[in-house]
Amino acid sequence: MERTLFFLLPCLSFILLGCQQYAQSQEQIPLQDATTLTANESVTLSRQTAITRAVEAATPAIVSINVIELQQVVYRDPFADFLQDPFFGQFFSERQSRIIERRVQNLGSGFVISPDGYIVTNHHVAGNATKVTVSLANGQTLDAELIGADKATDLALLKVTPEEPLNYLSFSDSPEPIVGEWAIALGNPFGLFEAAAPSVTVGVVSANDRDLGSHDGRIYHDMIQTDAAINRGNSGGPLINALGEVIGVNATIYSQSGGSVGLGFAVPAAKAQRIINEIRDHGYVDRSYYTGISFVAVTAQIAQALDLEDTQGVLIADVDSGSPAEEAGFLPYDLIVALEDEPILNQDDYIARIFDFRPGDPVTYHVVRNNRNVQLTLQIGRLDG
């Protein structure tokens, strides 16, 4: 069976943190009309920009999320060292360390994506929730149901039952945002303003396709980077463009202090929409894939022994008999260097790329075998049970 390994990024501290009508760009006022405006009217009109209109249109669709979850923690008796003594321990065995459950409150943000009440947020906000309440910008509070969540992409889908159709946001249809374009983050930082209009911060799209590796089972690959201020509590809120379209779901920041330093990251709209649609249709994302490949990281010693140019790629250690990998022609010591033309530099890359596919999907592998480039097509299987 395929072994998947997750590694934390060294020396980095990552903090997890509706409307059909789009805002329009400011129109130029004809000269003859402008002359009839008072000074105050002219100033007021000049203050309205594409950003203010996008925020005005998006605000009713932003929600604050209050979560209660049960966590299992190991309780260690303060006298644990004393109780390890063979003589005294026999009299106080009931005081040994044990697992207890505790109720934990979590706060975050989200946004409505349909008039009937579907809401997007992060897995680390609501993925393990036992009770969820959602507060709208108009002050209304509703109980929410957790439809499903996907830890790998850090996304979750909630559902409320409103009395009237809700304002909602639409995902951008663009393949990816333009680097340098306006990026507007909305949410409820630190849970300070629940059941109120969201806080708004503005920056630009700093970069696309940022790979942050994995953290606690969540894979942050192909992320949007922005310098719009994002803090704890903004998690799950939308990152929108000047048209009011969702370009990403705010997920994490890089910070050594715990506050925003202008390095925020969002799950891109295209990936978020695909995952959310799967959750809405099935309640989960099918990750029961099976390839039959066992792999190891390429160390300097392995690279030298196999006469490889460098340590990039993933080395196949074994191929299960009768597996999709064997049927595709894989052999031990094949070096995987790309999937579907996307470079594979290490195990994190491989895990992140393979998670983009589902059982039954054909995947093109680029491997190096005996210093020759070989292309193989593997149809992903499904784990039994």
Side-chain angles (χ1 to χ4, degrees):
M1 181 187 297
E2 184 169 7
R3 297 190 293 268
T4 56
L5 303 177
F6 295 91
F7 296 91
L8 300 180
L9 286 179
C11 305
L12 294 182
S13 172
F14 286 99
I15 299 178
L16 303 177
L17 313 201
C19 67
Q20 195 74 327
Q21 168 190 2
Y22 298 152
Q24 302 297 318
S25 299
Q26 180 179 349
E27 297 179 358
Q28 185 176 0
I29 304 169
L31 181 59
Q32 62 271 24
D33 294 336
T35 57
T36 64
L37 297 176
T38 67
N40 285 343
E41 289 173 335
S42 296
V43 171
T44 299
L45 189 59
S46 68
R47 292 165 55 200
Q48 298 179 8
T49 66
I51 293 176
T52 63
R53 296 185 183 188
V55 170
E56 182 180 10
T59 289
I62 312 303
V63 303
S64 297
I65 299 174
N66 194 317
V67 172
I68 300 295
E69 62 181 68
L70 291 179
Q71 290 185 351
Q72 290 189 336
V73 296
V74 177
Y75 170 77
R76 187 173 185 272
D77 193 286
F79 297 100
D81 292 336
F82 170 76
L83 297 175
Q84 293 302 314
D85 182 277
F87 177 75
F88 292 103
Q90 64 181 318
F91 300 108
F92 301 98
S93 58
E94 72 278 2
R95 293 188 57 174
Q96 300 293 331
S97 297
R98 62 189 185 276
I99 296 177
I100 62 174
E101 283 191 342
R102 65 178 182 182
R103 290 166 60 90
V104 178
Q105 185 176 19
N106 196 13
L107 297 171
S109 302
F111 57 99
V112 182
I113 60 168
S114 67
D116 58 346
Y118 281 100
I119 294 170
V120 173
T121 187
N122 286 142
H123 175 280
H124 77 259
V125 171
N128 298 311
T130 57
K131 179 177 176 56
V132 185
T133 55
V134 168
S135 299
L136 306 181
N138 63 7
Q140 185 181 9
T141 299
L142 300 170
D143 290 333
E145 174 191 1
L146 175 63
I147 300 300
D150 182 51
K151 187 173 184 178
T153 54
D154 199 10
L155 294 169
L157 183 65
L158 306 174
K159 177 68 169 64
V160 297
T161 304
E163 294 181 357
E164 298 179 354
L166 298 178
N167 292 286
Y168 63 98
L169 291 175
S170 297
F171 287 98
S172 171
D173 291 331
S174 299
E176 59 183 23
I178 303 170
V179 174
E181 74 167 305
W182 291 116
I184 308 164
L186 300 100
N188 183 19
F190 304 106
L192 291 174
F193 309 109
E194 190 175 354
S199 295
V200 178
T201 55
V202 177
V204 297
V205 174
S206 302
N208 291 308
D209 301 322
R210 290 301 199 204
D211 293 340
L212 310 178
S214 60
H215 176 78
D216 191 28
R218 300 180 181 95
I219 303 173
Y220 295 116
H221 270 58
D222 298 328
M223 303 289 281
I224 298 170
Q225 180 186 333
T226 180
D227 63 347
I230 298 174
N231 289 288
R232 293 179 184 269
N234 276 112
S235 292
L239 189 69
I240 67 174
N241 59 21
L243 295 174
E245 302 168 324
V246 177
I247 59 175
V249 182
N250 299 325
T252 187
I253 64 173
Y254 168 74
S255 176
Q256 294 176 328
S257 65
S260 175
V261 294
L263 288 171
F265 300 90
V267 181
K271 176 183 287 189
Q273 193 168 17
R274 177 164 52 88
I275 295 297
I276 290 303
N277 286 341
E278 287 187 63
I279 295 175
R280 180 157 48 183
D281 292 342
H282 307 292
Y284 64 96
V285 176
D286 187 358
R287 299 201 184 279
S288 60
Y289 64 84
Y290 172 64
T291 64
I293 295 173
S294 297
F295 57 84
V296 296
V298 182
T299 64
Q301 293 79 5
I302 290 176
Q304 183 178 10
L306 297 180
D307 194 27
L308 303 176
E309 294 183 358
D310 51 45
T311 60
Q312 294 184 356
V314 172
L315 186 68
I316 295 179
D318 193 18
V319 178
D320 294 348
S321 176
S323 68
E326 184 182 60
E327 293 177 3
F330 285 88
L331 298 174
Y333 304 114
D334 282 349
L335 181 69
I336 302 171
V337 294
L339 287 184
E340 297 288 340
D341 297 323
E342 292 287 339
I344 300 299
L345 303 181
N346 50 43
Q347 295 181 81
D348 263 6
D349 270 354
Y350 178 77
I351 293 167
R353 300 306 174 199
I354 203 69
F355 266 34
D356 285 337
F357 302 99
R358 302 291 178 266
D361 288 347
V363 183
T364 301
Y365 282 71
H366 300 268
V367 304
V368 175
R369 177 184 297 169
N370 298 325
N371 293 318
R372 294 186 301 108
N373 294 322
V374 178
Q375 183 172 306
L376 301 171
T377 300
L378 179 152
Q379 184 171 15
I380 297 178
R382 186 184 301 276
L383 286 172
D384 294 332

